[in-house]
Amino acid sequence: GHNNLNAKLVLLGDMGAGKSSLVIRFVKGQFLEFQESTIGAAFFSQTVAVNNATVKFEIWDTAGQERYHSLAPMYYRGAAAAIIVYDISSTDSFARAKKWVQELQKQGNPNMVMALAGNKADLEDKRKVTAEEARVYAEENGLFFVETSAKTAVNVNEIFYEIAKRLPRA
Ligand code: GDP
Ligand code: MG
């Protein structure tokens, strides 16, 4: 039969890691070199079809700055899925991603589908975080991991499709 599912999804990660760019690539198929930074949070929705189901993602794109941290639980509470984003050219952003994972493990929905996105994969010459260390970290923490580029679109649709496939079905 046909299943329609609404799924709240939150993007978390350091400011500048590319959260908004990933969502805008996924929802609008666009990329801006000078993406405006998010204030508070922004909402998007996008529907994907997987197997016999239609998943309507209700996406909360959060700001990432420390001063908005206290707002984050509003967005991840009740979320079915989270994408934790870091920038492969920034070790600080990878450290921040790990903090978000810890917070979700403590405070988030225990069935949450979590994905780790190593974004800006097009910046290979500026790479500071190896795919191997991120893969090992993700495996140890039960996340699935991919490197993405909002700029070139590599793995952007794929990460949302992969989440859609992993969502528990009613
Ligand atoms: P956010 O603060 O996490 O929402 O990050 P933004 O989406 O605002 O992106 C921050 C900056 O990084 C912007 O100038 C984007 O154009 C740039 N950016 C985002 N994703 C990529 C990417 O995959 N590759 C490259 N080269 N730049 C990116
Ligand atoms: Mg943003």
Side-chain angles (χ1 to χ4, degrees):
H2 208 86
N3 280 309
N4 293 329
L5 190 70
N6 282 17
K8 179 178 171 185
L9 179 150
V10 63
L11 283 107
L12 297 165
D14 214 358
M15 182 186 171
K19 298 176 296 300
S20 299
S21 298
L22 285 171
V23 181
I24 289 164
R25 169 61 79 189
F26 174 57
V27 173
K28 302 183 181 171
Q30 296 171 352
F31 176 76
L32 297 172
E33 288 288 346
F34 302 99
Q35 177 59 43
E36 279 180 44
S37 63
T38 311
I39 296 168
F43 179 78
F44 299 84
S45 89
Q46 177 73 304
T47 301
V48 301
V50 282
N51 306 330
N52 276 327
T54 305
V55 176
K56 184 184 178 195
F57 282 116
E58 296 161 346
I59 303 168
W60 285 101
D61 169 25
T62 66
Q65 292 98 316
E66 209 44 59
R67 68 189 151 113
Y68 295 116
H69 191 146
S70 63
L71 299 179
M74 283 201 318
Y75 301 107
Y76 65 69
R77 228 171 259 148
I83 304 177
I84 299 100
V85 184
Y86 69 93
D87 167 355
I88 69 154
S89 72
S90 160
T91 52
D92 283 356
S93 78
F94 186 53
R96 188 80 191 91
K98 291 178 176 176
K99 294 275 183 204
W100 280 118
V101 171
Q102 277 178 6
E103 182 165 339
L104 292 177
Q105 285 169 341
K106 280 201 203 121
Q107 330 254 28
N109 154 23
N111 304 319
M112 191 184 281
V113 176
M114 284 197 251
L116 181 66
N119 191 44
K120 309 197 187 181
D122 56 290
L123 300 181
E124 188 55 49
D125 54 334
K126 295 191 176 128
R127 178 189 289 276
K128 297 274 167 33
V129 183
T130 67
E132 182 58 14
E133 73 177 300
R135 192 191 59 72
V136 168
Y137 173 78
E139 209 169 275
E140 286 171 354
N141 287 276
L143 314 169
F144 85 87
F145 165 65
V146 276
E147 289 193 342
T148 57
S149 171
K151 184 169 181 170
T152 66
V154 162
N155 282 340
V156 177
N157 288 342
E158 286 79 358
I159 198 167
F160 286 91
Y161 277 82
E162 196 54 46
I163 289 168
K165 280 197 238 162
R166 288 171 191 234
L167 289 172
R169 292 296 137 80

